[in-house]
Amino acid sequence: LAIVSLMFFLVVVQGFVRVVMYFWDWLSQGEKLDRHEVSRAEQALEGSEDVLERELARAKDARGLGRVFARWRASKEAVNEYLDRMHLSWYQVIIIFFVGCMAGLLLEEIWMLLTAGLTENRVGLVWGPFSPLYGTGAVLLTVLCFQMRRHGAKTWQVFLISAAIGGGLEQITGWAMEVLFNAESWTYLHLPDHITQWVAWRFLFFWGLLGIVWTRAIMPKLLYQIGMPTSRRQVLFVTLVALYLVADIGMTLVCFNRKAARDLGAPPANAFERWVDTNYTDDFIAGRFENLKIGDARDPK
């Protein structure tokens, strides 16, 4: 049964990947952007393909594992050539934020399952499987490390920058939740290596490792797959994704604000707040954000 379940899962994943690839290919068709944007994207892709062909030609006489590694190096060189020509813009940033929100949430829930046996929902927004903390971290790591890559940054420098970004995000997010909503999503006060309530040395280390993996292994291939926009369909789609995320974040802040106000006994001031209180009740907040503690439910300090 376990083998059958695993095979079924792999088939579903493979089908999902194919659908995404087909959709992404469809987005690239249709009305093109201006000649300058299209030319820049095409030149970057052509340069990458030339490097790939050249490196594969060099590797054609290799055998066994040597051939596998040679093809891997050829792919890596092609991606690096593309990134050297790439213009990083809002287009890639929105997609990376979207992917980072989901990927970070998945990693966190797997981590909690393996280390604490918890299966609680750890989403950060009211709509969709997103954790904006990880999305913001992915964007900052990408933007900063993309520039560091062009200046030949060393691995230890990437580690330190990533740890600083992760720790800074945790500190700012945790502090803001406490000050604005009297809420707590996590605390490290019970850990012997905590620095503040929301930052601990062990997690700075994990953020640093995550940054290295992201920068060296994930980000280059992801940026290569995203590419630069050439069609109006791509721009329109990413714009709609951005508007959805803005609305999701805004609605989440409204819900948290009303939850804090209800705890203080403040009635809704208008029709919109009454609608929020009706549809995003305390039970909804508790069920949606299972690791969130607000007001009296927070751990005593």
Side-chain angles (χ1 to χ4, degrees):
L1 181 60
I3 296 177
V4 172
S5 300
L6 178 60
M7 292 179 62
F8 176 76
F9 175 75
L10 292 176
V11 170
V12 171
V13 170
Q14 185 179 37
F16 176 76
V17 171
R18 287 184 177 179
V19 170
V20 171
M21 292 179 64
Y22 175 82
F23 178 69
W24 200 251
D25 181 63
W26 177 81
L27 286 177
S28 66
Q29 302 169 15
E31 185 179 357
K32 297 298 181 181
L33 298 174
D34 64 81
R35 185 185 299 268
H36 175 70
E37 293 293 332
V38 174
S39 176
R40 173 186 288 177
E42 290 178 345
Q43 289 176 6
L45 186 58
E46 290 171 0
S48 174
E49 291 174 345
D50 289 343
V51 170
L52 181 62
E53 291 179 3
R54 183 189 68 212
E55 295 299 322
L56 288 177
R58 293 178 179 177
K60 64 180 182 180
D61 295 330
R63 294 292 182 269
L65 287 178
R67 184 178 182 84
V68 174
F69 284 116
R71 294 180 67 86
W72 175 80
R73 285 194 297 270
S75 177
K76 182 179 179 181
E77 289 299 322
V79 170
N80 285 334
E81 176 67 20
Y82 186 87
L83 296 189
D84 288 340
R85 298 168 177 260
M86 184 179 200
H87 171 64
L88 190 65
S89 68
W90 68 272
Y91 176 83
Q92 295 88 9
V93 166
I94 296 301
I95 297 174
I96 287 173
F97 180 81
F98 182 80
V99 173
C101 285
M102 293 188 292
L105 175 65
L106 178 62
L107 287 176
E108 181 178 1
E109 294 195 348
I110 292 175
W111 170 263
M112 294 303 299
L113 177 62
L114 295 178
T115 59
L118 296 178
T119 57
E120 65 184 9
N121 189 0
R122 302 183 72 85
V123 296
L125 299 176
V126 292
W127 303 326
F130 306 119
S131 179
L133 178 67
Y134 293 105
T136 304
V139 167
L140 291 176
L141 284 176
T142 298
V143 173
L144 291 176
C145 292
F146 185 81
Q147 298 302 322
M148 292 175 66
R149 172 190 171 278
R150 289 188 167 176
H151 290 84
K154 301 183 183 301
T155 299
W156 67 268
Q157 293 173 317
V158 174
F159 177 88
L160 292 179
I161 290 293
S162 302
I165 290 175
L169 280 175
E170 287 192 306
Q171 177 66 27
I172 293 172
T173 303
W175 174 84
M177 290 180 67
E178 180 178 81
V179 172
L180 298 178
F181 308 113
N182 192 28
E184 175 190 288
S185 186
W186 75 94
T187 179
Y188 297 145
L189 290 178
H190 62 286
L191 298 177
D193 61 333
H194 74 269
I195 303 173
T196 69
Q197 180 179 339
W198 306 285
V199 181
W201 285 110
R202 69 184 69 185
F203 292 109
L204 289 181
F205 177 78
F206 288 144
W207 275 105
L209 289 183
L210 182 61
I212 292 175
V213 173
W214 176 265
T215 304
R216 303 302 191 202
I218 300 176
M219 183 191 76
K221 192 67 175 178
L222 180 60
L223 286 177
Y224 178 78
Q225 292 296 330
I226 294 173
M228 290 180 282
T230 58
S231 75
R232 298 193 182 279
R233 286 181 185 175
Q234 292 172 316
V235 173
L236 176 60
F237 172 74
V238 175
T239 300
L240 291 176
V241 170
L243 291 176
Y244 171 83
L245 290 171
V246 169
D248 199 356
I249 293 171
M251 194 63 200
T252 301
L253 294 175
V254 168
C255 289
F256 284 173
N257 184 63
R258 280 305 304 154
K259 174 65 172 71
R262 288 196 300 269
D263 288 344
L264 295 175
N270 50 54
F272 176 68
E273 289 189 353
R274 285 194 294 272
W275 178 84
V276 171
D277 286 357
T278 300
N279 294 275
Y280 298 92
T281 63
D282 292 355
D283 289 338
F284 172 86
I285 297 296
R288 177 68 177 170
F289 306 98
E290 295 181 355
N291 64 314
L292 181 66
K293 301 179 179 64
I294 299 179
D296 295 338
R298 295 175 55 193
D299 291 336
K301 301 299 184 287

